[in-house]
């Protein structure tokens, strides 16, 4: 695993969220085609940088851009 891959995947996630609004983690996996390990690493990257936030609704976890 490398930093460049995680950063690129984080960019893909940001683009998907900017276009679609909030998405469930399941939908992010489906629309991005990012393997689960890299998806969660990229989500952690974005959360650490305060670019996303999580919302739990009806048993599902959604991701939205912060700000």
């Amino acid at each position: 695993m490398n930093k460049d891959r995680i950063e690129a995947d984080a960019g893909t996630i940001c683009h998907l969220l900017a276009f679609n609004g909030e998405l469930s983690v399941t939908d992010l996996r489906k629309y991005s085609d990012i393997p689960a390990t890299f998806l969660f690493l990229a989500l952690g990257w974005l959360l650490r940088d305060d670019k996303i936030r999580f919302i739990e609704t009806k048993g599902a976890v959604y991701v939205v851009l912060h700000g």
Side-chain angles (χ1 to χ4, degrees):
M1 290 185 237
N2 65 45
K3 178 182 170 187
D4 293 334
R5 166 72 193 264
I6 297 165
E7 193 170 14
D9 289 341
T12 298
I13 292 169
C14 282
H15 289 294
L16 283 169
L17 293 172
F19 184 75
N20 294 293
E22 73 180 36
L23 289 171
S24 68
V25 173
T26 303
D27 285 340
L28 275 173
R29 282 195 66 203
K30 181 170 51 174
Y31 298 144
S32 70
D33 202 29
I34 298 170
T37 300
F38 285 100
L39 178 74
F40 291 115
L41 287 168
L43 288 172
W45 179 289
L46 293 169
L47 186 63
R48 183 201 64 191
D49 285 350
D50 202 27
K51 295 189 185 240
I52 60 168
R53 61 188 173 94
F54 294 104
I55 301 170
E56 188 173 355
T57 307
K58 300 176 187 171
V61 177
Y62 291 85
V63 183
V64 294
L65 289 175
H66 189 248

